[in-house]
């Protein structure tokens, strides 16, 4: 058995000599969002596949070609997908937690890893970090 010594194509190691740059950008994004009345929310990195098929559209390239989807054997073969974007997850959390009945205008932001299974091009990655904001 040989040792695996290279990362998967389309992924990136963020080493300490560069991680401070990411921390700086994230802190700036948090500050700007919070100055405009947005609050951070976090969702799981995987969701039921149907959420993205309905939310993003089952005929889009993201759904047809670019999602990392897997089935489980423990509960009858449920289909889960690593999130390719976070809008659908944010709306799901808003509805599931009945936030609409608790406050008027909801202003959320999020950041974190997203996953797309496409042929990596220069400067594009299969796992990437994204910032977004939703007003509901």
């Amino acid at each position: 058995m040989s040792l695996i010594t290279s990362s998967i194509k389309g992924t990136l190691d963020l080493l300490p000599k560069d991680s401070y740059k990411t921390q700086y950008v994230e802190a700036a994004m948090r500050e700007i969002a919070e100055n405009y009345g947005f609050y951070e929310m976090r969702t799981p990195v995987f969701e039921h596949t149907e959420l993205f098929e309905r939310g993003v559209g089952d005929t889009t390239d993201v759904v047809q070609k670019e999602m990392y989807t897997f089935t489980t054997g423990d509960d009858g073969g449920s289909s889960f997908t690593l999130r390719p974007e976070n809008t659908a997850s944010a709306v799901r959390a808003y509805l599931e937690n009945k936030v609409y009945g608790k406050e008027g205008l909801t202003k959320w932001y999020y950041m974190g890893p997203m996953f797309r299974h496409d042929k990596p091009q220069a400067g594009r990655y299969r796992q990437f970090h994204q910032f977004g904001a939703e007003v509901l």
Side-chain angles (χ1 to χ4, degrees), residues 44-98:
V45 296
F46 63 95
E47 299 269 9
H48 292 281
T49 301
E50 296 81 12
L51 178 70
F52 299 113
E53 290 174 342
R54 288 183 179 182
V56 177
D58 59 359
T59 60
T60 64
D61 280 351
V62 170
V63 170
Q64 290 186 343
K65 302 181 206 173
E66 299 177 3
M67 293 194 322
Y68 281 103
T69 300
F70 56 95
T71 56
T72 63
D74 60 345
D75 62 353
S78 294
S79 180
F80 299 119
T81 296
L82 294 174
R83 64 180 181 207
E85 55 88 32
N86 209 34
T87 296
S89 297
V91 172
R92 187 232 2 109
Y94 178 82
L95 295 173
E96 181 179 355
N97 294 285
K98 297 179 175 62

Coordinates of all heavy atoms in Angstrom, one line a residue, residues 44-98:
P44 N -26.0 23.2 7.6 CA -25.1 22.0 7.4 C -24.5 22.0 6.0 O -25.0 22.7 5.1 CB -26.1 20.8 7.5 CG -27.3 21.4 8.2 CD -27.4 22.8 7.8
V45 N -23.4 21.3 5.8 CA -22.7 21.3 4.5 C -23.4 20.3 3.6 O -23.1 20.3 2.4 CB -21.2 21.0 4.6 CG1 -20.5 22.1 5.4 CG2 -20.9 19.7 5.3
F46 N -24.3 19.5 4.1 CA -25.1 18.7 3.2 C -26.5 18.7 3.6 O -26.9 19.0 4.7 CB -24.6 17.2 3.2 CG -24.7 16.5 4.5 CD1 -25.8 15.7 4.8 CD2 -23.7 16.6 5.4 CE1 -25.9 15.0 6.0 CE2 -23.7 15.9 6.6 CZ -24.8 15.1 6.9
E47 N -27.4 18.6 2.5 CA -28.8 18.7 2.7 C -29.4 17.5 1.8 O -28.8 16.9 1.0 CB -29.3 20.0 2.1 CG -28.8 21.2 2.8 CD -29.7 21.7 3.9 OE1 -30.6 21.0 4.3 OE2 -29.4 22.8 4.5
H48 N -30.8 17.4 2.0 CA -31.5 16.5 1.1 C -31.3 16.9 -0.4 O -31.4 18.1 -0.6 CB -33.0 16.4 1.4 CG -33.2 15.8 2.8 ND1 -33.2 14.4 2.9 CD2 -33.5 16.3 4.0 CE1 -33.5 14.1 4.2 NE2 -33.6 15.3 4.9
T49 N -31.0 16.0 -1.3 CA -30.8 16.4 -2.7 C -32.0 17.2 -3.3 O -31.8 18.1 -4.0 CB -30.6 15.1 -3.5 OG1 -29.4 14.4 -2.9 CG2 -30.3 15.4 -5.0
E50 N -33.2 16.8 -2.9 CA -34.4 17.5 -3.4 C -34.4 19.0 -3.1 O -35.0 19.7 -3.9 CB -35.7 16.8 -2.8 CG -35.9 15.4 -3.2 CD -35.1 14.4 -2.3 OE1 -34.5 14.8 -1.3 OE2 -35.0 13.2 -2.7
L51 N -33.8 19.4 -2.1 CA -33.7 20.8 -1.7 C -33.1 21.6 -2.9 O -33.6 22.6 -3.3 CB -33.0 21.1 -0.4 CG -32.9 22.5 0.0 CD1 -34.2 23.1 0.4 CD2 -31.9 22.7 1.1
F52 N -32.0 21.1 -3.4 CA -31.3 21.8 -4.5 C -31.9 21.6 -5.8 O -31.9 22.5 -6.7 CB -29.8 21.3 -4.5 CG -29.1 21.6 -3.2 CD1 -28.6 20.6 -2.4 CD2 -28.9 23.0 -2.9 CE1 -28.0 20.9 -1.2 CE2 -28.2 23.3 -1.7 CZ -27.8 22.2 -0.9
E53 N -32.5 20.4 -6.0 CA -33.3 20.2 -7.3 C -34.4 21.1 -7.4 O -34.7 21.7 -8.5 CB -33.8 18.7 -7.3 CG -32.7 17.7 -7.5 CD -33.1 16.3 -7.4 OE1 -34.2 16.0 -6.9 OE2 -32.4 15.4 -7.9
R54 N -35.1 21.4 -6.3 CA -36.3 22.3 -6.4 C -35.8 23.7 -6.3 O -36.3 24.6 -6.9 CB -37.2 22.0 -5.2 CG -38.0 20.7 -5.4 CD -39.0 20.5 -4.3 NE -39.7 19.3 -4.5 CZ -40.7 18.9 -3.6 NH1 -41.0 19.6 -2.6 NH2 -41.3 17.8 -3.9
G55 N -34.8 24.0 -5.4 CA -34.4 25.4 -5.1 C -33.6 26.0 -6.2 O -33.7 27.2 -6.6
V56 N -32.7 25.2 -6.8 CA -31.8 25.7 -7.9 C -32.4 25.4 -9.2 O -32.2 26.2 -10.2 CB -30.4 25.0 -7.7 CG1 -29.5 25.4 -8.9 CG2 -29.8 25.3 -6.4
G57 N -33.2 24.3 -9.4 CA -33.8 24.0 -10.6 C -33.2 22.7 -11.2 O -32.0 22.6 -11.3
D58 N -34.0 21.7 -11.5 CA -33.5 20.4 -11.9 C -32.9 20.4 -13.3 O -32.3 19.4 -13.7 CB -34.5 19.3 -11.7 CG -35.8 19.5 -12.4 OD1 -35.9 20.5 -13.2 OD2 -36.6 18.6 -12.4
T59 N -33.1 21.5 -14.0 CA -32.5 21.5 -15.4 C -31.2 22.3 -15.5 O -30.7 22.5 -16.5 CB -33.5 22.0 -16.4 OG1 -33.9 23.4 -16.0 CG2 -34.8 21.1 -16.4
T60 N -30.8 22.9 -14.3 CA -29.6 23.7 -14.4 C -28.3 22.8 -14.4 O -28.4 21.7 -14.0 CB -29.5 24.6 -13.1 OG1 -29.4 23.8 -12.0 CG2 -30.7 25.5 -13.0
D61 N -27.2 23.4 -14.9 CA -25.9 22.6 -14.9 C -25.5 22.2 -13.5 O -24.9 21.2 -13.3 CB -24.8 23.5 -15.6 CG -24.9 23.4 -17.1 OD1 -25.7 22.6 -17.6 OD2 -24.1 24.2 -17.7
V62 N -25.8 23.1 -12.5 CA -25.4 22.8 -11.2 C -26.0 21.5 -10.7 O -25.4 20.6 -10.2 CB -25.8 23.9 -10.2 CG1 -25.6 23.5 -8.7 CG2 -25.0 25.2 -10.5
V63 N -27.3 21.3 -11.0 CA -28.0 20.1 -10.5 C -27.7 18.9 -11.4 O -27.5 17.8 -10.9 CB -29.6 20.4 -10.5 CG1 -30.3 19.1 -10.3 CG2 -29.9 21.4 -9.4
Q64 N -27.6 19.1 -12.7 CA -27.4 18.0 -13.6 C -26.0 17.5 -13.7 O -25.8 16.3 -13.8 CB -27.9 18.4 -15.1 CG -29.3 18.6 -15.2 CD -29.8 18.8 -16.6 OE1 -29.0 19.2 -17.5 NE2 -31.0 18.6 -16.9
K65 N -25.0 18.3 -13.5 CA -23.6 17.9 -13.7 C -22.7 18.2 -12.5 O -21.6 17.6 -12.4 CB -23.0 18.6 -14.9 CG -23.7 18.4 -16.2 CD -23.0 19.2 -17.3 CE -23.9 19.5 -18.4 NZ -23.2 20.4 -19.4
E66 N -23.0 19.1 -11.6 CA -22.0 19.7 -10.7 C -22.2 19.3 -9.2 O -21.4 19.8 -8.4 CB -21.9 21.2 -10.9 CG -21.5 21.6 -12.3 CD -21.4 23.1 -12.5 OE1 -21.7 23.8 -11.6 OE2 -21.2 23.5 -13.7
M67 N -23.2 18.5 -8.9 CA -23.4 18.3 -7.4 C -22.7 17.0 -7.0 O -22.7 16.0 -7.7 CB -24.9 18.2 -7.1 CG -25.6 19.5 -7.3 SD -27.3 19.6 -6.6 CE -28.0 18.1 -6.9
Y68 N -22.2 17.0 -5.8 CA -21.7 15.8 -5.1 C -22.9 15.2 -4.4 O -23.3 15.7 -3.3 CB -20.6 16.2 -4.2 CG -19.3 16.4 -4.8 CD1 -18.7 17.7 -5.0 CD2 -18.5 15.3 -5.3 CE1 -17.5 17.9 -5.5 CE2 -17.2 15.5 -5.9 CZ -16.8 16.8 -6.0 OH -15.5 17.0 -6.6
T69 N -23.4 14.2 -4.9 CA -24.6 13.5 -4.3 C -24.3 12.1 -3.9 O -23.5 11.4 -4.6 CB -25.8 13.5 -5.3 OG1 -26.1 14.9 -5.6 CG2 -27.0 12.9 -4.8
F70 N -24.8 11.7 -2.8 CA -24.5 10.3 -2.3 C -25.8 9.8 -1.6 O -26.6 10.6 -1.2 CB -23.3 10.3 -1.4 CG -23.4 11.2 -0.2 CD1 -23.9 10.7 1.0 CD2 -23.0 12.5 -0.3 CE1 -23.9 11.5 2.1 CE2 -23.1 13.4 0.8 CZ -23.6 12.9 2.0
T71 N -25.9 8.5 -1.6 CA -27.0 7.9 -0.9 C -26.5 7.1 0.3 O -25.4 6.7 0.4 CB -27.8 6.9 -1.8 OG1 -26.9 5.9 -2.3 CG2 -28.4 7.6 -3.0
T72 N -27.4 7.0 1.3 CA -27.1 6.3 2.5 C -27.7 4.9 2.5 O -28.7 4.7 1.9 CB -27.5 7.1 3.8 OG1 -29.0 7.2 3.7 CG2 -26.9 8.5 3.8
G73 N -27.1 4.0 3.2 CA -27.6 2.7 3.4 C -28.3 2.5 4.7 O -28.9 1.5 4.9
D74 N -28.3 3.5 5.6 CA -28.8 3.3 6.9 C -30.3 3.6 7.1 O -30.9 3.2 8.0 CB -28.0 4.1 7.9 CG -28.0 5.6 7.6 OD1 -28.4 6.0 6.5 OD2 -27.7 6.4 8.5
D75 N -30.9 4.3 6.1 CA -32.3 4.7 6.3 C -33.1 4.5 5.0 O -33.9 5.4 4.7 CB -32.4 6.1 6.9 CG -31.8 7.1 5.9 OD1 -31.2 6.8 4.9 OD2 -32.0 8.3 6.2
G76 N -32.8 3.5 4.3 CA -33.6 3.2 3.1 C -33.0 3.9 1.8 O -33.7 4.1 0.8
G77 N -31.8 4.4 1.9 CA -31.2 5.0 0.7 C -31.6 6.5 0.5 O -31.8 6.9 -0.7
S78 N -31.6 7.3 1.5 CA -31.8 8.7 1.3 C -30.7 9.3 0.5 O -29.6 8.9 0.5 CB -31.9 9.4 2.7 OG -33.0 9.0 3.4
S79 N -31.1 10.3 -0.3 CA -30.1 11.0 -1.2 C -29.7 12.4 -0.5 O -30.6 13.2 -0.3 CB -30.7 11.2 -2.5 OG -29.8 11.9 -3.4
F80 N -28.4 12.6 -0.3 CA -27.9 13.8 0.2 C -26.9 14.4 -0.7 O -26.3 13.7 -1.5 CB -27.2 13.5 1.6 CG -28.1 13.0 2.6 CD1 -27.8 11.7 3.2 CD2 -29.2 13.6 3.1 CE1 -28.6 11.2 4.2 CE2 -30.0 13.1 4.1 CZ -29.7 11.9 4.6
T81 N -26.8 15.7 -0.7 CA -25.9 16.5 -1.6 C -25.1 17.5 -0.7 O -25.6 18.2 0.1 CB -26.7 17.2 -2.6 OG1 -27.4 16.2 -3.4 CG2 -25.8 18.1 -3.5
L82 N -23.8 17.5 -1.0 CA -22.9 18.6 -0.5 C -23.4 19.9 -1.1 O -23.5 20.0 -2.3 CB -21.4 18.3 -0.8 CG -20.8 17.1 -0.1 CD1 -19.4 16.9 -0.7 CD2 -20.8 17.2 1.4
R83 N -23.6 20.9 -0.3 CA -24.2 22.1 -0.8 C -23.3 22.8 -1.9 O -22.2 23.1 -1.7 CB -24.5 23.1 0.3 CG -23.2 23.6 1.0 CD -23.6 24.6 2.2 NE -22.3 25.0 2.8 CZ -22.2 25.4 4.0 NH1 -23.2 25.5 4.8 NH2 -21.0 25.8 4.4
P84 N -23.9 23.0 -3.1 CA -23.2 23.7 -4.1 C -23.4 25.2 -4.0 O -22.7 26.0 -4.7 CB -23.9 23.2 -5.4 CG -25.3 22.9 -4.9 CD -25.2 22.5 -3.5
E85 N -24.3 25.7 -3.2 CA -24.6 27.1 -2.9 C -25.4 27.1 -1.6 O -25.8 26.1 -1.1 CB -25.3 27.8 -4.1 CG -26.6 27.1 -4.5 CD -27.8 27.6 -3.7 OE1 -27.9 28.8 -3.3 OE2 -28.7 26.8 -3.4
N86 N -25.7 28.3 -1.1 CA -26.3 28.3 0.3 C -27.7 29.0 0.3 O -28.3 29.0 1.3 CB -25.4 29.0 1.3 CG -25.6 28.4 2.7 OD1 -25.9 27.2 2.8 ND2 -25.4 29.2 3.7
T87 N -28.2 29.5 -0.8 CA -29.5 30.2 -0.7 C -30.6 29.2 -0.4 O -31.4 29.5 0.5 CB -29.8 30.9 -2.1 OG1 -28.8 31.9 -2.3 CG2 -31.2 31.5 -2.1
A88 N -30.6 28.0 -1.0 CA -31.6 27.0 -0.8 C -31.6 26.6 0.7 O -32.6 26.5 1.3 CB -31.5 25.8 -1.7
S89 N -30.4 26.4 1.2 CA -30.3 26.0 2.7 C -30.8 27.1 3.6 O -31.4 26.8 4.6 CB -28.8 25.7 3.0 OG -28.4 24.6 2.2
A90 N -30.5 28.4 3.3 CA -30.9 29.5 4.1 C -32.4 29.6 4.1 O -33.1 29.8 5.2 CB -30.3 30.8 3.6
V91 N -33.1 29.4 2.9 CA -34.5 29.5 2.9 C -35.1 28.3 3.6 O -36.1 28.5 4.3 CB -35.0 29.6 1.4 CG1 -36.5 29.4 1.3 CG2 -34.5 30.9 0.8
R92 N -34.5 27.1 3.5 CA -35.0 26.0 4.2 C -35.0 26.2 5.7 O -36.0 26.0 6.4 CB -34.2 24.7 3.9 CG -34.8 23.5 4.5 CD -33.9 22.6 5.3 NE -32.5 23.0 5.5 CZ -32.0 23.4 6.7 NH1 -32.8 23.5 7.8 NH2 -30.8 23.7 6.8
A93 N -33.9 26.8 6.2 CA -33.8 27.1 7.6 C -34.8 28.1 8.1 O -35.4 28.0 9.2 CB -32.3 27.6 7.9
Y94 N -35.0 29.1 7.3 CA -36.0 30.2 7.5 C -37.4 29.6 7.7 O -38.1 29.9 8.6 CB -35.9 31.2 6.4 CG -36.9 32.3 6.5 CD1 -36.6 33.4 7.3 CD2 -38.1 32.3 5.8 CE1 -37.5 34.5 7.3 CE2 -39.0 33.4 5.8 CZ -38.7 34.5 6.6 OH -39.6 35.5 6.7
L95 N -37.8 28.7 6.8 CA -39.1 28.1 6.8 C -39.2 27.1 7.9 O -40.2 27.1 8.7 CB -39.4 27.5 5.5 CG -39.5 28.4 4.3 CD1 -39.7 27.7 3.0 CD2 -40.7 29.4 4.5
E96 N -38.2 26.2 8.0 CA -38.3 25.1 9.0 C -38.3 25.6 10.4 O -39.0 25.1 11.3 CB -37.1 24.2 8.9 CG -37.0 23.0 9.8 CD -35.9 22.1 9.7 OE1 -35.1 22.3 8.7 OE2 -35.7 21.2 10.5
N97 N -37.6 26.7 10.7 CA -37.6 27.3 12.0 C -38.6 28.4 12.3 O -38.6 29.1 13.3 CB -36.2 27.8 12.3 CG -35.2 26.7 12.4 OD1 -35.1 26.0 13.4 ND2 -34.4 26.5 11.3
K98 N -39.5 28.5 11.3 CA -40.6 29.5 11.4 C -40.2 30.9 11.8 O -40.8 31.6 12.5 CB -41.7 29.0 12.3 CG -42.3 27.7 11.8 CD -43.4 27.2 12.8 CE -44.1 26.0 12.3 NZ -43.3 24.8 12.1

